[in-house]
């Protein structure tokens, strides 16, 4: 394989891993800035920088390698206790991370004139002495020296092993836990020493969050060792071992720490890619060690696979679903014609088995395509921090439900709309600290970002405790733009929905954050393309909340089959809000259009038969009740009158490849169990063309 082909094959993997390392650095740096850092967090950042430096050098990004090396050197000083990050240092590291990200993903945004200045500033702060913050700094230096001395004087008959023990913050008797660990380790060899010594830990146990043990490991398996280290109130255990005695530990002290793989489970095994000759590092939360007592309980293994391969499998399973539905229909027809013959019974059993296997295959692949939404959420703390600092505001972002899973296709598309809503909350929602004080609120505003599952949908809520939406200001702007005719009095919900209109903005001046009337329009279009729904709730002086309801996947969906004359049509269930029977007296006429009221909201009513120009059956009589399906798209609502509701069905969307036909009002087609093709409505097109205008065939 040529070098060019090799690089092309692995560049996508490099970019993916580089993004993961940048996310780790950003996340932990934000934690340090908020005051919730730990020594393990510094180690994790150092490993991330080291990994990114090595991989960028391998694929030929010298600028990224050089800048990451500067960051790594600074973090190394912090890890050794020789430097403490100040607020100015943190800002500088964030600038370096932005530079690295631009070099990798937006090279056109790189300002080469600032590169040398940024590198010089990072080098300068490393030369500054560590601030004298008292005994804590001296303690770090002392422990480092003690550990180096232990490594230098240790003699080994077995395998040189270093064990790092990190206690939980709430651990009340650390000396007792430490004594148990030391006593358990005697079964495996000689404990050469520890930093701190047990006597020091006993004298002042609250002063130590972690401890290092040097072990001459002579007997017992790794699983046995891990079981022996399973002690309550220990947060994590890191085992570093080598086969070359003192030489292995001189490598540990001089070389870089092992490269850590992204933590996909609670148990993470990290093996050094460079620098650890003959050594291996295992970081295992102590609470999980007991479950790994034998070879049958091993850390979960993961592989990376291209998304388009999963798409191909999803298409094949879609074909299986269609074939399974056809086979079920054939079995039913045979039963109707021939009754309960032995062949009919056998066909029924095999049909049931086929349906079960197909469902399991579909569920398994759907789960394989699901990814946590936390990957999207992780980018927002940095955005909130930068926007708040730029505007002189204090904002706390609270996130919940990061482990909520949905299809990767949906995850890739919801990042931008959520970002615009969060920017809107920081800019328009959260007040300045002085204004919040005068309103009797804490100076720091709160934005809540939450994801939950509700049936076949995922619900993402973005709420703040800011000033709320000024409805009078929004209405005045709507009238000025001609969105609301003079003399018409819209409902409260219709006023709130105006903020999604293209070009709409209540900002008094245009800034680099808002004022152009683009952000909320982007949100509306993105959510519409996902067949999602937006709801707004706002109270003046209390805050605003946006609720996004999105389908978990777009490949195989739930559909509501409706009958219009002799046609069976499918409405995506994610757009269906509710269905009901309306009496004629409940339908009113406003401006020549039929409407009905749902919980105080006026909803337009359209006959689906008229919109689609389906010929009227002259023999159909007038019904007392009208079957209506209320659908929603983004912030809009509409009632569709149909002849009858047939039922809910899981459907596979098949594209309609007929460019010579104007079929924009259909999202695709599917094959029903009886072999007939049923068209799937494009609710977006129905909304666009439904305002009294018939769709063109």
């Amino acid at each position: 394989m040529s070098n060019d082909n090799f690089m092309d094959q692995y560049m996508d993997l490099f970019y993916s891993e580089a993004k993961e390392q940048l996310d780790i650095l950003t996340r932990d740096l934000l934690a340090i800035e908020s005051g919730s850092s730990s020594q393990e967090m510094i180690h994790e950042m150092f490993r991330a920088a080291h990994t990114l430096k090595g991989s960028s050098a391998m694929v030929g990004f010298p600028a990224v390698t050089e800048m990451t090396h500067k960051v790594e050197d600074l973090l190394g000083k912090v890890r050794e206790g020789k430097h403490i990050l100040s607020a100015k240092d943190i800002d500088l590291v964030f600038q370096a991370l932005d530079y690295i990200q631009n070099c990798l993903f937006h090279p056109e945004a790189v300002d080469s004139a600032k590169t040398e200045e940024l590198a010089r500033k990072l080098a300068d702060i490393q030369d500054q002495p560590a601030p004298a913050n008292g005994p804590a700094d001296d303690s770090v230096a002392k422990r480092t020296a003690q550990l180096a001395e232990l490594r230098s004087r240790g003699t080994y008959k077995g395998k040189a092993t270093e064990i790092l023990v990190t206690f939980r913050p709430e651990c009340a008797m650390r000396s007792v836990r430490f004594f148990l660990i030391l006593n358990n380790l005697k079964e495996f060899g000689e404990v050469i020493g520890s930093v701190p010594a047990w006597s020091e830990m006993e004298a002042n146990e609250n002063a130590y969050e972690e401890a290092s043990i040097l072990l001459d490991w002579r007997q017992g398996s790794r699983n046995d060792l891990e079981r022996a280290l399973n002690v309550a109130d220990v947060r994590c255990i890191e085992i570093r071992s080598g086969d070359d005695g003192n030489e292995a530990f001189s490598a540990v002290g001089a070389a870089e720490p092992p490269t850590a793989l992204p933590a996909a489970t609670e148990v993470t095994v990290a093996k050094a890619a460079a620098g650890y000759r003959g050594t291996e590092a295992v970081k295992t939360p102590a609470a999980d060690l007991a479950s790994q007592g034998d070879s049958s309980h091993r850390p979960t293994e993961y592989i990376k696979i291209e998304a388009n391969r999963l798409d191909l499998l999803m298409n094949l399973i879609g074909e299986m679903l269609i074939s399974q539905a056809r086979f079920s229909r054939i079995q039913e027809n045979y039963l109707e014609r021939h009754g309960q013959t032995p062949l009919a019974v056998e066909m029924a059993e095999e049909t049931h088995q086929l349906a079960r296997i197909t469902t399991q295959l579909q569920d398994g692949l759907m789960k394989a395509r699901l990814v946590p939404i936390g990957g999207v959420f992780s980018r927002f703390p940095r955005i909130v921090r930068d926007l708040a600092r730029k505007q002189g505001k204090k904002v706390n972002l609270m996130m919940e439900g990061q482990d909520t899973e949905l299809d990767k296709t949906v995850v890739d598309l919801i990042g931008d709309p959520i970002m615009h809503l969060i920017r809107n909350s920081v800019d328009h929602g959260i007040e300045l600290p002085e204004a919040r004080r005068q309103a009797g609120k804490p100076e720091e505003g709160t934005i809540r970002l939450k994801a939950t599952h509700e049936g076949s949908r995922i619900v993402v809520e973005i709420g703040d405790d800011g000033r709320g939406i000024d409805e009078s200001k929004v209405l005045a702007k709507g009238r000025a733009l001609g969105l609301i005719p003079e003399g018409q009095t819209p409902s409260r919900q219709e006023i709130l929905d105006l903020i999604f209109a293209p070009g709409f903005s209540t900002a008094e001046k245009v800034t680099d954050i808002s004022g152009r009337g683009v952000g909320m329009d982007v949100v509306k279009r993105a959510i519409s393309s996902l067949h999602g729904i937006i709801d707004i709730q706002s109270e003046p002086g209390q805050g605003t909340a946006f609720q996004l309801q999105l389908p978990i996947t777009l490949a195989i969906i739930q559909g509501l089959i409706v009958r219009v004359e002799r046609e069976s049509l499918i409405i995506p269930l994610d757009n269906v809000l509710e269905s009901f029977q309306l009496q004629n007296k409940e339908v009113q006429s406003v401006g020549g259009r039929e409407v009905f009221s749902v919980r105080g909201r006026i909803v337009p009513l359209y006959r689906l038969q008229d919109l689609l120009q389906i010929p009227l059956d002259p023999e159909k009589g007038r019904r007392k009740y009208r079957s209506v399906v209320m659908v929603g798209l983004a912030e809009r609502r509409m009632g569709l009158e149909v002849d009858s509701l047939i039922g809910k069905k899981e459907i596979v969307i098949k594209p309609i490849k007929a460019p010579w036909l104007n079929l924009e009002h259909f999202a695709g087609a599917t094959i029903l169990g009886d072999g007939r093709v049923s068209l799937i409505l494009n609710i977006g097109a129905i909304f666009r063309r439904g305002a009294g205008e018939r769709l063109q065939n």
Side-chain angles (χ1 to χ4, degrees), residues 11 22 141 156 362:
M11 282 306 291
L22 287 172
Y156 306 92
Q362 177 193 338

Side-chain angles (χ1 to χ4, degrees), residues 25-38 41 94:
L25 288 164
T26 300
R27 180 197 65 203
D28 290 349
L29 200 58
L30 287 168
I32 291 174
E33 187 177 48
S34 66
S36 59
S37 63
S38 66
M41 196 173 290
F94 272 128

Side-chain angles (χ1 to χ4, degrees), residues 475 479 484-490:
L475 179 59
R479 293 192 190 281
I484 301 293
E486 291 293 338
Q488 181 176 333
T489 305

Side-chain angles (χ1 to χ4, degrees), residues 662-677:
N662 182 11
L663 296 174
E664 68 162 342
H665 43 293
F666 297 111
T670 192
I671 301 175
L672 301 178
D674 58 4
R676 291 186 300 157
V677 174

Side-chain angles (χ1 to χ4, degrees), residues 315-325 354 357-358 361:
N315 290 335
L316 293 175
I317 288 181
E319 296 292 341
M320 281 188 64
L321 282 172
I322 294 172
S323 297
Q324 182 260 324
L354 178 61
I357 294 175
T358 304
L361 273 173

